[in-house]
Amino acid sequence: MASKAAQKRLNKEYITMQREPPPFIWAVPDEKNILTWNYLIRGPPDSPFAGGEYHGILLFPAEYPFKPPGIKMFTPSGRFQPDKKICFSMSDFHPGTWNPAWSVATILTGLLSFMLADEMTTGSVTSSDSHKRAFAAKSHSFNLSQARFKEAFPDYCTPTLKDLPNMGERERGKPDTPPNSMRNPCPSTTLATLPTQMIHRRNLGAVPPMIAAAAAPAVGDALTSTNKTPVPQGWAASWRQVIWEKWRWGVLIALAVIVSKLSSSS
């Protein structure tokens, strides 16, 4: 069972993941246990993993963020042993080097970096680049055959690969615009402003009830601010113009009357 500190921290990290997902990475907590997170990593271009889709889990201890998580990858990659814990500096193999400031995004970015390297450690395997490319080509079909993938990422169970929210376009100097299928029709909407019933699945993954409940109080404020009738811009200027016109004509008429009286008296 998660401690209060772990619950609060992981809730916050999920909201951050929604707003600013790292390049080639996506992760969601399990609906029933916030200490278990499913992640997806997409192989970056110009790497042997290009076109690959890699599913795994992060197993957080109840004492998180003061202790590191265990990390597994299920999808065969040619780099890690499927369903075996991976040893690297941010995993539970190295509690002495763990930094509580590290987050889900930090851990998975570190895992992707470690995946692209050749360092051998517990849970890793050696294979050629051609083997890695072959695994990458088969990765999505493998994931579709796995019940845990389909349960964790139902929106990614499509016949062809579906892009993650951040495919590294900005990092590669390209416009950071997601494909039409991933665009949010309300770009300013975040987890904290969605009604609970809309939060439950969104289009990027399952949201645990405890996170939805934490986000729900913000709904009232969001509806209050979004339902107000906007005040037309420039209305004050328009009224000032009308008053000025009427005042100017009034002055001209008064001057004309005075001139007329002076002329008749003379």
Side-chain angles (χ1 to χ4, degrees):
M1 182 177 178
S3 64
K4 288 184 178 180
Q7 179 90 25
K8 182 178 180 180
R9 174 68 173 268
L10 290 171
N11 284 345
K12 181 179 178 181
E13 291 191 23
Y14 181 71
I15 294 173
T16 301
M17 178 67 68
Q18 287 272 332
R19 292 175 177 169
E20 300 177 3
F24 310 111
I25 290 167
W26 181 246
V28 294
D30 184 90
E31 290 184 318
K32 298 178 182 178
N33 182 7
I34 199 170
L35 294 176
T36 299
W37 283 54
N38 285 270
Y39 68 80
L40 285 179
I41 289 178
R42 288 293 299 275
D46 304 321
S47 78
F49 306 100
E53 176 187 64
Y54 305 96
H55 171 215
I57 57 171
L58 300 177
L59 302 169
F60 290 98
E63 298 82 8
Y64 181 79
F66 304 106
K67 290 185 178 181
I71 304 171
K72 291 183 178 182
M73 183 176 288
F74 299 132
T75 311
S77 62
R79 179 69 176 95
F80 302 120
Q81 298 179 49
D83 204 9
K84 299 291 183 182
K85 278 194 173 183
I86 301 168
C87 171
F88 84 115
S89 59
M90 296 181 181
S91 74
D92 56 1
F93 281 86
H94 297 280
T97 61
W98 170 252
N99 185 340
W102 290 340
S103 64
V104 172
T106 309
I107 295 163
L108 292 176
T109 299
L111 177 62
L112 175 56
S113 178
F114 186 64
M115 184 176 179
L116 297 174
D118 296 323
E119 182 181 351
M120 293 302 298
T121 184
T122 303
S124 61
V125 296
T126 302
S127 68
S128 65
D129 285 355
S130 60
H131 278 92
K132 292 182 176 72
R133 293 189 185 96
F135 280 123
K138 298 176 182 177
S139 60
H140 185 59
S141 59
F142 173 85
N143 289 336
L144 292 178
S145 69
Q146 303 299 302
R148 52 193 168 192
F149 173 82
K150 291 187 285 188
E151 181 179 355
F153 300 107
D155 296 303
Y156 287 90
C157 294
T158 53
T160 57
L161 275 176
K162 186 175 181 180
D163 282 351
L164 300 183
N166 184 349
M167 291 301 294
E169 299 293 329
R170 184 181 305 169
E171 289 72 14
R172 288 180 282 156
K174 298 180 180 180
D176 193 14
T177 304
N180 291 333
S181 61
M182 293 300 295
R183 286 178 185 163
N184 186 345
C186 302
S188 61
T189 303
T190 63
L191 178 66
T193 61
L194 287 174
T196 304
Q197 64 270 26
M198 294 175 65
I199 290 174
H200 183 62
R201 278 217 176 263
R202 212 172 179 189
N203 67 337
L204 301 177
V207 180
M210 67 283 288
I211 293 181
V219 172
D221 295 338
L223 294 178
T224 301
S225 61
T226 56
N227 288 340
K228 290 181 179 178
T229 303
V231 179
Q233 294 183 355
W235 65 270
S238 299
W239 274 108
R240 284 197 298 270
Q241 182 66 25
V242 171
I243 294 170
W244 163 248
E245 291 292 337
K246 291 185 176 182
W247 181 85
R248 186 177 65 173
W249 281 108
V251 170
L252 291 175
I253 293 171
L255 286 174
V257 171
I258 293 171
V259 170
S260 176
K261 287 183 177 181
L262 288 175
S263 298
S264 61
S265 64
S266 61

